[in-house]
Amino acid sequence: MRCPWCQQLQIRDLTLKEILWPLTIKETRCQVCESKLCKIEAPYCMLCLKKGVASPCDDCRMWQTEYPSYDFQHHCFFQYNEAFHDWIYRYKFLGDYRLRGTFTDEIRSFFHQHPKAIVCTVPLSSERQKIRGFNQSAAILSAAKIHTVDLLQKTQHTDAQAQKNRQERLAMTQPFEATSLAKEIKGREVIVFDDVYTTGRTLFYAAEVLEHFKPLKIRTLSLAR
């Protein structure tokens, strides 16, 4: 088996389940790659999991002021550190599509706890999709075999968020609109997935559009914060 991050061959003992049902054998990160990741540990903001701050953090207080009726709750798995930056650069900007399965275990474990949720990803503009060749968030969920519904579409092409500073990100205008499938979410739990949470601007705009269709609740998810 290969590590889904560094692609190096690794040897490990199979579980009884994997021996009896070979199709259940899964690729897991090697110890070297695992050691690079930094999980979110207390103290952290209980609303967005920002590490090392009181709850709610300054960002969340700002969002509570702007969206007082939105019952916001974000979940992520890792702190955005140098190793994660290198991973996202290889995957997202160099187009190493093999990396889409790096965090499959975490993704499946999370959605196992939300079996009835409608899941959507943050869409790309058609221009960005052509440049990149794939939607990085949709590919991550596809690798984990998580069904998604295209509830949103991006109505304008914008510069990549990675090229913007904090103020430029927050100043971004609403880039999304709902698709015809959004009517399905009334009374349902909705989970919106994006690869990274930085300021929250993108995910709050996504939730703003979807709230008009009266879902039971909206939750957001990212790999890193």
Side-chain angles (χ1 to χ4, degrees):
M1 292 170 287
R2 292 185 181 275
C3 170
W5 186 340
C6 68
Q7 304 299 315
Q8 294 297 311
L9 287 172
Q10 55 177 329
I11 299 173
R12 66 172 175 86
D13 294 331
L14 297 179
T15 64
L16 178 60
K17 181 180 179 181
E18 290 173 328
I19 293 172
L20 295 176
W21 293 282
L23 291 179
T24 66
I25 296 176
K26 57 185 179 181
E27 293 182 333
T28 56
R29 295 185 295 269
C30 69
Q31 292 183 351
V32 173
C33 289
E34 190 68 28
S35 68
K36 298 176 182 178
L37 296 168
C38 182
K39 293 186 177 181
I40 303 292
E41 296 179 347
Y44 54 77
C45 174
M46 297 299 292
L47 296 179
C48 73
L49 273 65
K50 185 175 184 179
K51 185 175 173 60
V53 298
S55 182
C57 67
D58 290 344
D59 283 354
C60 286
R61 283 197 291 268
M62 176 187 69
W63 293 126
Q64 286 175 327
T65 299
E66 185 166 345
Y67 297 97
S69 63
Y70 174 28
D71 178 27
F72 168 66
Q73 184 67 61
H74 182 74
H75 183 81
C76 61
F77 306 113
F78 303 104
Q79 183 180 354
Y80 190 96
N81 60 7
E82 184 177 352
F84 193 90
H85 171 82
D86 292 343
W87 177 87
I88 202 76
Y89 180 76
R90 282 179 53 199
Y91 173 56
K92 191 172 177 177
F93 299 106
L94 297 184
D96 192 344
Y97 195 66
R98 298 172 299 174
L99 298 180
R100 68 193 184 283
T102 304
F103 304 104
T104 289
D105 281 355
E106 287 81 7
I107 293 289
R108 287 178 177 171
S109 178
F110 176 86
F111 283 106
H112 182 72
Q113 302 173 50
H114 302 268
K116 296 183 179 180
I118 295 178
V119 184
C120 76
T121 59
V122 170
L124 301 179
S125 66
S126 57
E127 292 89 341
R128 182 72 60 201
Q129 183 87 23
K130 290 177 182 177
I131 293 171
R132 189 165 295 160
F134 62 97
N135 180 315
Q136 72 280 355
S137 296
I140 289 168
L141 295 190
S142 177
K145 295 181 169 53
I146 303 300
H147 175 70
T148 60
V149 180
D150 294 331
L151 302 177
L152 298 165
Q153 58 188 6
K154 196 166 187 181
T155 57
Q156 56 181 281
H157 178 65
T158 57
D159 292 334
Q161 290 292 84
Q163 299 175 5
K164 300 178 182 178
N165 60 34
R166 175 181 171 80
Q167 292 306 314
E168 289 171 334
R169 290 169 188 256
L170 291 174
M172 178 180 69
T173 58
Q174 171 63 269
F176 305 124
E177 64 180 24
T179 69
S180 61
L181 298 176
K183 63 180 181 295
E184 299 178 6
I185 70 174
K186 184 176 181 179
R188 301 282 300 277
E189 177 186 10
V190 176
I191 297 175
V192 184
F193 176 70
D194 201 8
D195 51 0
V196 177
Y197 182 111
T198 306
T199 64
R201 177 71 278 179
T202 298
L203 287 170
F204 274 91
Y205 268 151
E208 178 183 292
V209 171
L210 296 178
E211 274 199 314
H212 290 293
F213 296 87
K214 303 185 185 305
L216 176 65
K217 58 183 175 182
I218 299 174
R219 294 291 180 257
T220 55
L221 174 69
S222 66
L223 295 177
R225 168 72 169 98

